[in-house]
Amino acid sequence: METTEHTLFVKMALDAWNTQASRADKLIKSLSNEALAQETAPGRNSGTYLVGHLTAVHDAMIPLLGLGDRLYPQLEEPFLKNPDKSGLEKPSIDDLRLYWNTVLAVLTNHFNGLRAEEWLSKHTSVSQEDFLKEPHRNKLNVLINKTNHLAYHLGQLAYLKK
C-alpha cells in the first residue's frame, strides 16, 4: 500500500475519533453533575461511572500506543476492574471532568504528532513475533476499536440529556 493510502486511512480513522470525542466532550460538558449522577437506564451505569470509565480507557491508550505512562492509574480499579455499584470510593465528578479533559488533550497532542507509518506499527501489548503474523494488531486498530467503544458509551450517556 502506498504512503498516500496509509495517510488516507489514518485520516479517516482520526476524523472518526475526533468526531466521537468531540460529541462526547460536548455532551459531558452540557450535563450537570446531578444529571451525570443518574443511571442511564434503570439498573444501568450512572453517567459519572461512564465518564470515569471512558477516561480510564482512554488513559490506558497512552501506554498501549507507546506514548508514555498513564496519567491517572488510580482510575483502573474503580472504573475498569469493578462495576459502578462496587462500593469503591471514586473521584468526584468535578475531578473526573478534569481528568477527562486532560486525557483528551494529551491524546490529541500525541495523535497530531504521529505519522501514518507510526499508526501502522505494533502497539505495546503485542510481541514482535505475533505482530509479524498479524500486522493488523497495530496502533490504528486500537484507535478504531476505542472509537467504537466511545461511540457505544456516548449512546448511553445521551439518555441523560433532558
Side-chain angles (χ1 to χ4, degrees):
M1 199 179 310
E2 294 180 16
T3 302
T4 55
E5 288 176 318
H6 291 170
T7 303
L8 176 62
F9 290 137
V10 168
K11 181 182 179 347
M12 290 186 309
L14 281 171
D15 284 352
W17 165 265
N18 288 328
T19 296
Q20 295 304 325
S22 175
R23 286 177 180 161
D25 190 50
K26 182 178 176 183
L27 178 60
I28 290 166
K29 285 178 178 166
S30 76
L31 294 168
S32 68
N33 288 1
E34 294 74 24
L36 284 170
Q38 301 299 310
E39 293 179 337
T40 57
R44 303 301 294 208
N45 291 327
S46 68
T48 303
Y49 181 83
L50 291 174
V51 172
H53 174 73
L54 287 169
T55 302
V57 166
H58 296 158
D59 191 35
M61 287 173 67
I62 297 169
L64 183 60
L65 297 175
L67 304 173
D69 295 326
R70 283 184 183 183
L71 303 173
Y72 307 106
Q74 71 273 21
L75 300 180
E76 182 175 351
E77 198 65 33
F79 295 109
L80 297 179
K81 292 186 174 181
N82 288 283
D84 190 359
K85 295 160 186 67
S86 66
L88 292 175
E89 187 174 332
K90 296 178 180 74
S92 71
I93 187 57
D94 290 330
D95 285 344
L96 289 174
R97 287 178 190 275
L98 174 66
Y99 302 162
W100 164 260
N101 290 330
T102 302
V103 169
L104 277 187
V106 166
L107 287 176
T108 298
N109 184 52
H110 282 300
F111 291 175
N112 289 337
L114 289 175
R115 296 181 330 273
E117 296 75 29
E118 292 174 285
W119 280 107
L120 297 172
S121 67
K122 75 177 202 70
H123 56 75
T124 61
S125 290
V126 64
S127 69
Q128 187 62 41
E129 179 182 281
D130 287 342
F131 182 67
L132 290 173
K133 293 180 212 167
E134 301 174 290
H136 64 280
R137 295 175 69 185
N138 57 45
K139 294 175 183 179
L140 188 61
N141 200 13
V142 170
L143 180 71
I144 292 167
N145 286 325
K146 298 309 180 201
T147 300
N148 291 335
H149 178 257
L150 176 56
Y152 174 78
H153 288 305
L154 176 58
Q156 292 175 316
L157 285 166
Y159 284 110
L160 298 175
K161 191 80 173 164
K162 301 289 182 214

